[in-house]
């Protein structure tokens, strides 16, 4: 099954995508995690991504899309994957659709994780990552509204979106996520 985890920054996509991936036995591809790992390893990619991440801006599409296209060609991702943090704008959504179509594949479902904004901001402040200061968080939420939210409409038009309420304990939310993925698999 080819899934996308969609939602605002801080809504818990990473946590939930990882849990679902483990349960379904399919890989989890997180663009943010890939950038952070590259930075930790001192790689050029990580250094280039950092200047955008630290400001809460989107890393340029050519960098981000190249990573995803490369990942989609990996044999381990051939039988399904969970994308988390990608696509984040319409151009990425179109690039993804094209790249998958070239491999005779497509997205099966988009799990849209929701939570009220105050909850999201509190979670990010508590997490305290480098890019989790108040100013950077506000900018990321602004970028989300302007650039990422249109991606939701893109997938709604394709009738692929399943909304999952993201407030509650991790296991409680996971059960909802798992049910939504099950429904997607059956349809
Ligand atoms: P969060 O969901 O909390 O924003 P992520 O780990 O998904 O955390 O993303 C952290 C940062 O990585 C983003 O603010 C952005 O700078 C960069 N990033 C991740 N995915 C993308 C993407 N698809 N396009 C552009 N930038 C990205």
């Amino acid at each position: 099954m080819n899934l996308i985890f969609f939602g605002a920054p801080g809504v818990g996509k990473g946590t939930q995508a990882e849990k679902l991936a483990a349960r379904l036995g399919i890989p989890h591809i997180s663009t943010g995690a890939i950038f952070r790992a590259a930075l930790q390893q001192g790689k050029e990619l990580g250094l280039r991504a950092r200047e955008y991440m630290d400001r809460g801006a989107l890393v340029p599409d050519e960098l981000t899309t190249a990573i995803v296209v490369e990942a989609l060609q990996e044999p381990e991702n051939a039988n399904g994957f969970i994308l988390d943090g990608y696509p984040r704008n319409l151009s990425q959504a179109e690039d993804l659709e094209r790249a998958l179509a070239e491999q005779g594949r497509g997205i099966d479902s988009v799990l849209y994780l929701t939570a009220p904004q105050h909850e999201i901001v509190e979670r990010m402040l508590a997490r305290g990552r480098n890019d989790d200061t108040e100013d950077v968080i506000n900018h990321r939420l602004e970028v989300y509204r302007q650039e990422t939210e249109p991606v939701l409409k893109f997938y709604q038009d394709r009738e692929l979106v399943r909304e999952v309420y993201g407030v509650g304990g991790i296991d409680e939310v996971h059960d909802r996520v798992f049910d939504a993925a099950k429904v997607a698999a059956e349809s």
Side-chain angles (χ1 to χ4, degrees):
M1 198 159 36
N2 305 334
L3 296 175
I4 291 174
F5 254 82
F6 188 88
V11 76
K13 296 187 296 290
T15 305
Q16 292 299 332
E18 205 165 296
K19 272 183 96 72
L20 184 66
R23 185 148 169 202
L24 297 179
I26 57 179
H28 166 211
I29 307 168
S30 158
T31 44
I34 291 171
F35 291 138
R36 283 188 292 275
L39 181 61
Q40 253 181 354
Q41 294 159 12
K43 289 188 185 160
E44 167 80 21
L45 169 71
L47 296 170
R48 286 178 68 186
R50 177 168 66 178
E51 50 179 300
Y52 300 93
M53 295 173 81
D54 281 353
R55 293 189 270 125
L58 293 187
V59 176
D61 288 345
E62 62 269 20
L63 274 188
T64 314
T65 295
I67 287 171
V68 172
V69 167
E70 205 180 290
L72 293 175
Q73 285 160 352
E74 295 289 335
E76 70 203 46
N77 297 323
N79 297 316
F81 54 80
I82 299 177
L83 266 177
D84 156 22
Y86 189 96
R88 253 180 157 94
N89 61 27
L90 276 179
S91 153
Q92 293 180 4
E94 283 158 5
D95 286 343
L96 175 65
E97 192 165 68
R98 205 171 313 117
L100 286 173
E102 279 168 12
Q103 303 177 337
R105 301 197 282 173
I107 293 298
D108 297 307
S109 190
V110 176
L111 304 181
Y112 172 36
L113 210 54
T114 65
Q117 179 156 325
H118 67 88
E119 175 94 17
I120 287 173
V121 173
E122 273 165 34
R123 284 185 195 177
M124 282 194 276
L125 287 174
R127 185 169 67 176
R129 219 169 58 193
N130 253 354
D131 56 345
D132 286 338
T133 61
E134 203 154 347
D135 284 352
V136 176
I137 289 172
N138 284 334
H139 187 59
R140 275 155 66 205
L141 289 172
E142 182 62 29
V143 170
Y144 174 74
R145 277 189 291 269
Q146 301 267 334
E147 298 200 44
T148 310
E149 262 180 2
V151 173
L152 191 61
K153 166 98 176 34
F154 177 94
Y155 289 114
Q156 275 165 344
D157 289 346
R158 287 155 178 73
E159 297 185 355
L160 291 176
V161 178
R162 277 165 223 285
E163 194 167 325
V164 178
Y165 184 52
V167 179
I170 290 180
D171 291 334
E172 188 183 351
V173 175
H174 170 69
D175 287 341
R176 291 182 207 135
V177 166
F178 183 72
D179 286 345
K182 214 163 54 181
V183 175
E186 284 159 3
S187 65

